[in-house]
Amino acid sequence: IEANMPDDESVTDSVVTETIIGGTRYRILKMAGSVIPKVEPISWTTFFCLSICCIIPTAIYALLFTQMGYGDVLYYSFSKKFGDYSSVLAEGLMISAFLFYILDIDEWNSAIGNVVRFLCLSLLFFGFSSLVLLVSNQYPYGIITFFALIDPLWLLIVKTLFYRSVDTRMYVSWLSGPLFFTSIVTAVAFIIWVFMDSGHAWNNVTRVTAAEKTGCVPNFDEYPDCMSQDGSGDTCFYSFDSTLYFPDGCDPACLNVYSECVNGIVLWAGPLMMCVSMLFLSFFCTFLRTEGTSEKDI
């Protein structure tokens, strides 16, 4: 019997090993807790419905304003064709907002007044959205900022339409999980899209292609020798069939003529920017967590 009993040294080593493993697990969980927001316990049905609501604006943005969709065709083409009207639209929006303020639009509480107020505010919103698109070439980060503002407003509309009886603080706390889930789904979809085709990766070829599609003007001030000799004003290098070609006398450093062009990277990295925005919003919703609800499937 004594021969089968472990000695004190082996028992001590086992205890030390378990302590180290336990401490490592604790540190890993603690680090994960600082990155993953604490979600409010809700039912699976509520989680699924709110996740769909969070995915809707994300999918629309990815489809219209990123390279995963038609961003390079729709977004900057719209700005290039109608960008000259941005100042006129901005002045119209300012005058309209001033008139609505003078006329106390918030006091139009009759049945007809509510309808007219809704239509006026909808027109203002549509005009502001159009203005952001029109100035996208000059202010490429405007559209992702617009998403960061519209996303919580959309979720507020969802609350008004479908969760009117739910306390606002409780509703906001419910959003932490669906927002975090949507950000993860968006990141995974972006990674899959990048690895699906070599042309989707961000490199010199896609950088030049994006700059040309979004109408970026090459800066020849510091690289005057990088201008094409045919007098067209284009660069001496060109891309064809996912390959960059540098003729004789054209240095690869000429790619820096597009160093100030951020339009392409905004389109390409749009999904990642959305992830950051939703992750931040998820942590914000975490601060409004309640003591719990009757729905605790998650």
Side-chain angles (χ1 to χ4, degrees):
I1 297 176
E2 292 181 356
N4 295 329
M5 293 180 61
D7 54 13
D8 294 339
E9 183 176 355
S10 62
V11 172
T12 303
D13 292 341
S14 178
V15 172
V16 171
T17 302
E18 292 180 358
T19 302
I20 294 175
I21 294 175
T24 303
R25 289 176 179 175
Y26 174 77
R27 286 191 293 270
I28 293 175
L29 292 176
K30 187 176 180 179
M31 292 175 59
S34 62
V35 176
I36 301 176
K38 297 179 181 179
V39 299
E40 185 73 15
I42 57 177
S43 67
W44 283 106
T45 302
T46 303
F47 177 82
F48 176 78
C49 293
L50 290 178
S51 296
I52 295 297
C53 293
C54 292
I55 289 174
I56 289 176
T58 306
I60 293 175
Y61 183 92
L63 180 64
L64 300 181
F65 306 121
T66 70
Q67 285 189 358
M68 291 180 65
Y70 303 96
D72 53 350
V73 177
L74 174 66
Y75 182 21
Y76 288 107
S77 297
F78 183 79
S79 176
K80 185 177 180 180
K81 292 181 180 179
F82 305 103
D84 295 336
Y85 299 99
S86 59
S87 59
V88 177
L89 180 58
E91 293 174 359
L93 289 174
M94 293 178 62
I95 294 174
S96 300
F98 178 75
L99 290 177
F100 292 153
Y101 174 77
I102 295 298
L103 297 175
D104 292 329
I105 191 174
D106 57 322
E107 299 296 332
W108 300 357
N109 296 321
S110 64
I112 298 178
N114 287 329
V115 174
V116 174
R117 178 174 57 187
F118 174 78
L119 293 176
C120 292
L121 294 178
S122 299
L123 287 175
L124 278 179
F125 174 78
F126 177 77
F128 179 74
S129 303
S130 300
L131 180 62
V132 173
L133 293 178
L134 290 177
V135 299
S136 58
N137 274 338
Q138 291 78 20
Y139 306 98
Y141 289 107
I143 190 63
I144 187 62
T145 305
F146 185 65
F147 171 81
L149 295 175
I150 291 301
D151 197 27
L153 292 179
W154 159 253
L155 294 175
L156 180 61
I157 294 175
V158 171
K159 197 269 181 189
T160 303
L161 294 177
F162 304 108
Y163 297 93
R164 186 175 301 178
S165 60
V166 179
D167 179 71
T168 301
R169 181 185 178 90
M170 181 177 295
Y171 170 76
V172 173
S173 67
W174 287 358
L175 295 175
S176 58
L179 283 169
F180 180 75
F181 172 75
T182 304
S183 67
I184 296 299
V185 170
T186 305
V188 172
F190 174 75
I191 294 173
I192 294 175
W193 174 78
V194 169
F195 285 97
M196 281 178 59
D197 190 336
S198 59
H200 295 166
W202 185 254
N203 49 44
N204 288 332
V205 177
T206 53
R207 174 187 171 191
V208 172
T209 303
E212 293 174 348
K213 286 184 177 181
T214 56
C216 283
V217 179
N219 183 8
F220 296 113
D221 294 339
E222 298 182 4
Y223 302 92
D225 296 334
C226 296
M227 183 181 295
S228 177
Q229 300 299 322
D230 58 6
S232 62
D234 296 332
T235 59
C236 61
F237 58 88
Y238 61 94
S239 61
F240 178 76
D241 196 19
S242 300
T243 304
L244 285 176
Y245 295 93
F246 296 89
D248 294 338
C250 186
D251 194 286
C254 289
L255 292 173
N256 292 327
V257 296
Y258 289 124
S259 60
E260 298 179 359
C261 179
V262 297
N263 297 352
I265 190 65
V266 170
L267 284 177
W268 183 82
L272 296 180
M273 297 179 183
M274 284 193 296
C275 291
V276 174
S277 174
M278 289 184 290
L279 189 61
F280 173 80
L281 192 59
S282 176
F283 275 100
F284 173 79
C285 294
T286 299
F287 295 139
L288 298 180
R289 293 179 70 240
T290 61
E291 295 299 326
T293 68
S294 59
E295 307 183 41
K296 296 185 177 180
D297 289 350
I298 298 180

